[in-house]
Amino acid sequence: AALRIPLLLVRNELPAPGLNLAARSGSCHQCLYQFLAFVPPSNESLRKPGTASVMVDTQHPLTLLLNSSVGDRDLCKIQYHFGEFGNYSLVVKTLSTSNQTVSCDLIINEGPINSYLPILFAFLVYMGILALLIAGRLLMKIDPVRNWVYKKLNPRATDRMINSELGSPNTTDSINCDPAPQSWSSGSRQRLRSLDTFRGLSLVIMVFVNYGGGKYWFFKHESWNGKLHFPSALFSRFVFIMGTSIALALGSMLRWGSSKWKVLRKIIWRSFVLILLGIVVVNPNYCLGPLSWDNLRIPGVLQRLGFTYLVVATLELLFTRADSGTWEGRFPALQDILPYWPQWIFILVLETIWLCLTFLLPVPDCPRGYLGPGGIGDFGKYPNCTGGAAGYIDRLLLGEKHMYQHPSSGVIYQSTMPYDPEGILGTINSIVMAFLGLQAGKITLFYKDQPKQIMSRFIIWGIVMGVISAILTKCSKEEGFIPINKNLWSISYVTTMSCFAFILLLLIYYLVDVKKWWSGAPFLYPGMNSILVYIGHQVFANYFPFKWKMQDSQSHAEHLTQNLTATTLWVIISYILYRKRIFWKI
């Protein structure tokens, strides 16, 4: 629901019997109407209407249904999208006593507030800061201004400050060697800045959303199928860019003389640490008490990243070559695909397993191939079937107490079964997503001196993924063969997110690495310390200065100020670490 919930006063001027008021959300597919209130009949002797007050949702349009409490006769149905903090009246009266015609008039007593003004103001503030920074950089290109600054500051430190934006720190300055994206030049060992920028952009938005997103509904996950809100795309971008980094990093390490056994040990160790951090550090809520195995959530974001990394990196290690030069076989235009046909066979087998388990596995008391949210969805026929086979496998192998207890489907669809969006079955498709990112990395390797070839292939892959998504979904939210669903990590979700990822990476690559119109700042900095920022923002989420007690908890402006401040602080922290050449790698 939205932050400020409006009040609806129902005035019943009809005689006995009373009325039942029910509602159904516009985002709830094939849902039952949910009872809201009983509206008593009018008191004819006192000429006083019966009244009832209810709170209504503002996130999606609502369909209100009024029917008689006796006989269940529908009197009127109204569809309306209520605004935040508004005050409304629904007047029910008889227009004609002869044919018992009933009218239902919705009256706006107090107009809703404009909840988007805080976002507009924040946007203007950040744009103003950006304009000042750009003006400062332009002024520093003027010799008299630059000389004056040199006199006021340490010339050597100032020179480093200016020139640091033109390059990137050497990988030897990292705390530990990380399978991070390296450029194709083995001589310079310079990072591909567009990858760090891509990762950092996704991370900054994820931090903002995790901190609350100003309590705006569009910064929340979709309840089940359909619209791709900001949160729905963030984790998938991490998975995609991780695959891209794998392709560049493994080739770089092998070219520098590391044996495959040494690289494999590093892959296993990094995966283990990521999974351990997710289980022990990020997932538990220590505010509720010490860590307990009885209700410890086993799946999670870092756990899925760790396992996905293990599978995709190992798969790439088996077939990668230290020399990524031109392939001498037939069809040179497919040199980034054909030499790796065993990898594609493996991925197709994995996807076949996902399809078979999803659509053929018998689930007790649920229809075979069910992909719905359970609860009141599908007219309440399958209330305990949330997630179908995916939910069943997690409950069978992990146990209900070791899963996520508050899935996004619980609000709209009122599902009560635990369901984990980072569960076992969905991990198969996260591996597919990372493998498509791996393909983007191979493109940059095989066409290292041909930016036009790289960009054209990114476009082609984006179009191919988009066409597959259109076929799978029939360009529909609910009626496709396989709907887009972030909770299930459906294959249509993977192809759609991959389409967007290829296009976004293309744009950032063009701006940052080809034209060099943009240094990647400020997203470059958190992108180069992504593990530290992600874990840090989770661990310190409830500590000052990332969170404080607000004067008005119903204010979008206060929530937005707090969430943007916390997010900005992590960007500043990552910049300071960047300047000090401190990079936490696993």
Side-chain angles (χ1 to χ4, degrees):
L3 183 66
R4 297 177 183 263
I5 303 177
L7 176 69
L8 174 65
L9 176 66
V10 184
R11 296 168 53 91
N12 180 15
E13 298 182 4
L14 303 181
L19 303 175
N20 288 328
L21 175 65
R24 182 174 64 192
S25 172
S27 69
C28 199
H29 181 61
Q30 294 183 341
C31 287
L32 298 171
Y33 279 94
Q34 297 302 294
F35 175 79
L36 292 183
F38 170 75
V39 188
S42 65
N43 189 324
E44 294 184 348
S45 60
L46 298 177
R47 295 184 177 180
K48 183 178 179 180
T51 60
S53 298
V54 294
M55 298 293 186
V56 290
D57 178 33
T58 65
Q59 180 171 340
H60 303 284
L62 285 182
T63 300
L64 300 176
L65 177 66
L66 276 165
N67 53 31
S68 175
S69 60
V70 177
D72 202 28
R73 182 172 69 93
D74 292 348
L75 298 178
C76 59
K77 185 184 296 184
I78 296 176
Q79 186 175 22
Y80 192 77
H81 196 166
F82 293 91
E84 289 189 33
F85 217 48
N87 190 296
Y88 304 86
S89 292
L90 180 58
V91 180
V92 185
K93 58 186 178 182
T94 303
L95 288 180
S96 173
T97 56
S98 60
N99 56 13
Q100 296 183 338
T101 303
V102 175
S103 73
C104 299
D105 300 320
L106 187 66
I107 301 171
I108 302 176
N109 302 322
E110 183 180 347
I113 65 170
N114 188 341
S115 60
Y116 303 110
L117 286 178
I119 287 186
L120 176 61
F121 180 76
F123 175 78
L124 294 176
V125 169
Y126 277 90
M127 287 299 100
I129 295 173
L130 177 62
L132 290 175
L133 292 175
I134 293 175
R137 289 182 63 84
L138 293 176
L139 287 174
M140 287 301 295
K141 294 181 179 181
I142 303 175
D143 290 340
V145 176
R146 185 169 61 251
N147 293 336
W148 181 83
V149 172
Y150 280 2
K151 291 179 182 180
K152 297 296 181 181
L153 300 175
N154 184 326
R156 188 171 301 176
T158 304
D159 185 61
R160 285 200 301 267
M161 178 183 69
I162 297 171
N163 290 335
S164 66
E165 303 304 321
L166 302 178
S168 195
N170 195 299
T171 54
T172 58
D173 295 318
S174 299
I175 290 178
N176 194 7
C177 182
D178 177 42
Q182 308 289 331
S183 81
W184 35 76
S185 173
S186 60
S188 65
R189 300 234 12 196
Q190 204 175 27
R191 294 175 74 100
L192 192 61
R193 296 171 70 92
S194 55
L195 299 190
D196 289 316
T197 304
F198 183 101
R199 186 189 299 109
L201 173 63
S202 301
L203 179 59
V204 168
I205 300 176
M206 177 182 284
V207 170
F208 172 68
V209 168
N210 288 348
Y211 277 147
K215 295 299 180 182
Y216 287 100
W217 65 268
F218 43 80
F219 287 126
K220 298 179 181 179
H221 291 289
E222 181 67 28
S223 296
W224 201 247
N225 294 336
K227 298 176 182 177
L228 299 174
H229 296 166
F230 281 106
S232 301
L234 300 176
F235 183 31
S236 63
R237 290 178 187 169
F238 267 95
V239 175
F240 181 90
I241 207 64
M242 180 179 68
T244 309
S245 302
I246 289 172
L248 301 177
L250 293 188
S252 174
M253 287 189 286
L254 293 176
R255 287 195 302 271
W256 280 81
S258 297
S259 67
K260 286 196 173 185
W261 282 110
K262 180 180 179 180
V263 175
L264 179 60
R265 287 195 298 269
K266 183 171 183 60
I267 291 171
I268 295 173
W269 171 251
R270 189 172 194 246
S271 303
F272 171 76
V273 172
L274 282 172
I275 295 172
L276 188 66
L277 286 172
I279 293 177
V280 177
V281 178
V282 175
N283 266 347
N285 187 349
Y286 290 103
C287 296
L288 301 178
L291 183 66
S292 172
W293 176 254
D294 293 337
N295 55 5
L296 178 67
R297 180 190 176 198
I298 297 177
V301 171
L302 290 182
Q303 295 92 305
R304 176 168 285 188
L305 283 175
F307 187 79
T308 300
Y309 175 81
L310 174 65
V311 174
V312 177
T314 303
L315 183 65
E316 174 65 6
L317 182 65
L318 293 175
F319 298 96
T320 190
R321 299 175 296 166
D323 180 17
S324 57
T326 303
W327 185 48
E328 300 298 335
R330 300 174 61 185
F331 309 108
L334 300 177
Q335 60 177 313
D336 55 324
I337 299 176
L338 293 183
Y340 302 96
W341 62 267
Q343 294 180 343
W344 286 96
I345 296 296
F346 178 82
I347 292 298
L348 290 175
V349 169
L350 273 185
E351 191 54 39
T352 302
I353 292 174
W354 183 86
L355 290 170
C356 290
L357 289 175
T358 299
F359 292 100
L360 300 180
L361 180 70
V363 179
D365 302 321
C366 302
R368 190 165 295 186
Y370 182 71
L371 299 176
I376 64 174
D378 302 292
F379 305 111
K381 296 178 181 178
Y382 318 111
N384 298 322
C385 295
T386 303
Y392 174 67
I393 290 173
D394 289 341
R395 292 190 291 271
L396 184 66
L397 300 181
L398 303 177
E400 291 187 6
K401 291 185 178 180
H402 300 293
M403 298 167 57
Y404 189 56
Q405 300 296 311
H406 307 288
S408 59
S409 59
V411 177
I412 299 296
Y413 289 94
Q414 301 182 22
S415 55
T416 57
M417 295 295 292
Y419 179 80
D420 208 303
E422 278 77 51
I424 296 172
L425 193 57
T427 303
I428 291 178
N429 279 341
S430 72
I431 292 172
V432 177
M433 182 87 188
F435 184 76
L436 292 171
L438 183 76
Q439 184 60 35
K442 290 176 181 176
I443 290 172
T444 59
L445 284 174
F446 281 96
Y447 303 97
K448 54 188 176 182
D449 297 320
Q450 308 170 63
K452 289 184 178 179
Q453 291 283 359
I454 292 174
M455 291 187 292
S456 64
R457 277 163 172 75
F458 283 175
I459 292 175
I460 292 171
W461 274 100
I463 293 174
V464 169
M465 292 295 104
V467 170
I468 294 175
S469 296
I471 294 173
L472 292 175
T473 63
K474 298 182 181 178
C475 298
S476 168
K477 177 181 176 180
E478 303 285 353
E479 305 303 327
F481 300 109
I482 304 178
I484 296 173
N485 190 298
K486 190 264 180 188
N487 287 284
L488 295 171
W489 268 71
S490 61
I491 185 60
S492 58
Y493 169 79
V494 169
T495 55
T496 303
M497 291 297 98
S498 297
C499 169
F500 293 155
F502 273 111
I503 300 303
L504 180 60
L505 182 58
L506 162 68
L507 294 174
I508 296 177
Y509 171 71
Y510 180 75
L511 294 173
V512 174
D513 288 314
V514 178
K515 290 297 185 180
K516 302 189 185 301
W517 289 339
W518 179 28
S519 67
F523 305 113
L524 173 74
Y525 313 124
M528 295 181 68
N529 248 322
S530 56
I531 297 296
L532 184 146
V533 172
Y534 179 80
I535 293 179
H537 100 277
Q538 293 274 13
V539 172
F540 296 102
N542 294 315
Y543 293 88
F544 183 82
F546 305 103
K547 191 173 184 179
W548 60 83
K549 184 177 181 180
M550 291 181 290
Q551 297 295 322
D552 182 7
S553 62
Q554 295 294 305
S555 168
H556 275 299
E558 285 204 47
H559 279 282
L560 189 63
T561 300
Q562 185 179 92
N563 302 153
L564 286 175
T565 299
T567 305
T568 303
L569 283 173
W570 282 113
V571 174
I572 294 173
I573 291 170
S574 64
Y575 174 70
I576 293 172
L577 296 175
Y578 170 86
R579 292 296 309 278
K580 292 183 177 295
R581 298 176 179 270
I582 298 175
F583 305 98
W584 185 28
K585 307 296 181 182
I586 298 173

